[in-house]
Amino acid sequence: MDNLDYGIISNCKSAALISKTGSLDWCCMPNFNSSAMFAKILDEEIGGSFEILISDDYKIKQEYLWETNILSTVFDNGTDSFQLIDFMPRYPREDGSYYAPPDIIRFFRLISGKPKFAIKYDPKLDFAREKTYSEHKGEYIKSFTKEGKYDSAFFYSSFDLQDIIDRKEITLTGNAYCLVGYHEKLIEQTLDRSYLKFQRTKVYWMNWSDKTTRYTHYGNEIMRSALVLKALSYKKSGAVLAAATTSLPETIGEERNWDYRFCWIRDASMVIKVMAGLGHIKSAREFLQFIINIIPHKDEKIQIMYGINGEKELTEHILNHLSGYKDSHPVRTGNAAYIQKQNDIYGILMEVIYQQFLMFETSLENSEELWTLVRGIVMIVQENWKKPDKGIWELRTEDRHFVFSKLLCWVAVDRAIKIGEVLRMGINDTKWKSLREEIYQDIYQNGWNEEKQAYTQYYGSSDLDASTLLMQPYGFIEADDPRFISTVQATEKELCEDGLMYRYKNNDDFGKPTSSFTICTFWLIDSLFKIGEKKKAKEMFDQLLSYSNHLGLFSEDIDFKTKRLLGNFPQAYSHLALIETAANFSKGIATEGMLYQD
């Protein structure tokens, strides 16, 4: 496919990607960060897939069932038609726990005629490192490895299993099912049981969506993005993944290929704010608790990212045997960025702690623990804010004095002062306020480029950077401040191309970036809206929404020329920004509408 035309299904433990033609091309089991058993998206020859093979006369239509993460793909040749319903079971048990096994169920519903197709069931366990063997075991097909790391998977179906192995043509005469599971089933699998799981899972997702805050404008886009965020949530720990995939390239044929199946601290405050704003307080609290639990005490090093269970070591490995998406290699697991020093992390953490005190009740014991963290973070900022670092974009070149990193150091101290006010502590108040003012003046004087009339990427630089657009949302500068207005205008002029934004245009580790970073376009739109250019902002927003895939999903990047989606998919950061921007528009439109009526 020439685009990331996939839908994601999930049970909040792992996820799978289904193409617009019904091919299951990506799935890691039993968890998000496990080895892949289907990875055709990373190697069309040996990656492994689960495909529905039909004749060319079938037309295919794919969509999500209303307000769920259940995917429907309808195949219709005018006479014969059937619906393929893909989902991963998730629903509450009577004791309040959740049934969410590492299973994918593909339910075939006969609509008309006698559709004919073959099934290509071709799992390649452990990223296809070793050969996968599949054997008919009577009640199921077992796939397993003999060499290297042992892995296995189990396939159950109401179809004849030998026909599946032989890829024989199947005539659908009634409803049917296939189930791919990581574990062998202890009770008999039947069509009725699969249908019941489907209905229960459907009810679960519809109940979840029913609790989501509704907006009068862009409601469908906000809901789909909220469901994406939920799909990327790891229920066991409360973590939210950056994306469900690894090594989908930022640009076809280049080396900017990273593993995003981890939790970035930078995303945390935005996830908590957005999920709470959507009414999902429990999810926000669980993620906040995950962040608090992994924050090290006192003099321990704070990482920019962690594994979904709080793992600290995320060693990067290259899978040379896989060709990569559209031959874009290397394919990586793990992410070496976890060892980078990024000073913006302190501001992110303090913002998270501040939200804890604003949004949720906190016990005396927890308050004391958090206050210790606050004081410790301020001490670290005091010692480190003047030092260069790698910056928000995790550049693997020399350290620099990035404006965004300085900004977030300012945020750390500012939020610490506010937390002290909430707790009525007054401790170090004068000292902290002096530190906040010192950082502010340093940014004000050294981050500003008089010739560009804008805040730039790093001190002494004339290069612009989209991250400076966040100076207003973080409270460093007001939206009507001439410096912010001119920064927005200069950044748009230099970094915006045909309605899409570069992160920056200067060379990095791999040369000049050649694709648009989706979240940066949302930042620009939001900034234009706030400085009063609302018409332009809305036109850009509507244009950007049109670049989503056929299901309304976004990846990390967009190609400037072709508008194809690039980068890991679906991207939590992109959908977080979509929700925030759409919510701002919706409120703005509603307000203008009321004013007009008055």
Side-chain angles (χ1 to χ4, degrees), residues 161-194:
L161 296 181
Q162 194 59 50
D163 287 349
I164 301 295
I165 290 175
D166 297 337
R167 298 181 189 172
K168 286 186 177 180
E169 185 175 75
I170 295 169
T171 299
L172 189 66
T173 57
N175 295 344
Y177 83 97
C178 296
L179 182 154
V180 182
Y182 186 76
H183 303 298
E184 180 181 353
K185 295 299 177 184
L186 298 179
I187 59 176
E188 182 184 3
Q189 298 303 298
T190 65
L191 179 63
D192 288 346
R193 185 177 297 279
S194 290

Side-chain angles (χ1 to χ4, degrees), residues 269-304:
S269 61
M270 198 173 177
V271 170
I272 293 164
K273 179 182 176 182
V274 167
M275 294 304 280
L278 291 173
H280 293 290
I281 302 298
K282 184 179 179 182
S283 294
R285 185 186 289 116
E286 287 173 348
F287 188 35
L288 191 148
Q289 192 59 51
F290 169 79
I291 298 298
I292 290 173
N293 288 342
I294 61 177
I295 295 176
H297 290 269
K298 301 199 175 173
D299 62 346
E300 287 184 65
K301 181 181 180 293
I302 299 172
Q303 295 182 191
I304 65 167

Side-chain angles (χ1 to χ4, degrees), residues 107-231:
F107 192 88
F108 295 77
R109 185 177 74 87
L110 177 63
I111 298 175
S112 65
K114 294 182 178 180
K116 291 179 172 58
F117 54 84
I119 291 176
K120 179 183 178 182
Y121 175 64
D122 186 30
K124 297 294 178 67
L125 301 170
D126 192 24
F127 284 106
R129 282 187 178 97
E130 307 291 346
K131 182 178 179 180
T132 296
Y133 299 86
S134 293
E135 294 181 359
H136 192 323
K137 294 291 186 179
E139 295 181 358
Y140 55 81
I141 297 171
K142 181 179 180 180
S143 300
F144 56 95
T145 55
K146 293 180 180 179
E147 298 83 22
K149 173 187 171 184
Y150 178 77
D151 206 356
S152 60
F154 299 85
F155 177 95
Y156 298 83
S157 182
S158 53
F159 295 125
D160 184 278
L161 296 181
Q162 194 59 50
D163 287 349
I164 301 295
I165 290 175
D166 297 337
R167 298 181 189 172
K168 286 186 177 180
E169 185 175 75
I170 295 169
T171 299
L172 189 66
T173 57
N175 295 344
Y177 83 97
C178 296
L179 182 154
V180 182
Y182 186 76
H183 303 298
E184 180 181 353
K185 295 299 177 184
L186 298 179
I187 59 176
E188 182 184 3
Q189 298 303 298
T190 65
L191 179 63
D192 288 346
R193 185 177 297 279
S194 290
Y195 184 72
L196 181 59
K197 290 176 183 177
F198 159 58
Q199 293 293 351
R200 286 174 170 171
T201 301
K202 181 180 177 182
V203 169
Y204 164 79
W205 285 118
M206 293 185 73
N207 282 337
W208 188 88
S209 296
D210 188 55
K211 298 172 185 174
T212 303
T213 302
R214 305 284 170 158
Y215 288 84
T216 54
H217 300 274
Y218 300 109
N220 291 338
E221 290 83 357
I222 291 172
M223 180 63 76
R224 179 48 53 198
S225 292
L227 284 161
V228 169
L229 295 180
K230 182 62 175 175

Side-chain angles (χ1 to χ4, degrees), residues 236-289:
K236 182 179 178 181
S237 67
V240 177
L241 285 76
T245 58
T246 179
S247 303
L248 298 188
E250 295 178 19
T251 302
I252 302 296
E254 293 191 4
E255 296 180 37
R256 303 171 202 263
N257 314 323
W258 319 111
D259 191 347
Y260 274 17
R261 298 172 299 154
F262 304 110
C263 180
W264 268 256
I265 299 298
R266 188 182 295 114
D267 301 2
S269 61
M270 198 173 177
V271 170
I272 293 164
K273 179 182 176 182
V274 167
M275 294 304 280
L278 291 173
H280 293 290
I281 302 298
K282 184 179 179 182
S283 294
R285 185 186 289 116
E286 287 173 348
F287 188 35
L288 191 148
Q289 192 59 51

Side-chain angles (χ1 to χ4, degrees), residues 304-329:
I304 65 167
M305 56 190 290
Y306 293 84
I308 57 176
N309 285 303
E311 299 93 339
K312 294 181 179 179
E313 291 190 17
L314 309 175
T315 306
E316 192 170 291
H317 300 283
I318 292 178
L319 305 182
N320 285 317
H321 66 288
L322 295 177
S323 64
Y325 178 82
K326 304 297 181 185
D327 291 322
S328 302
H329 45 269

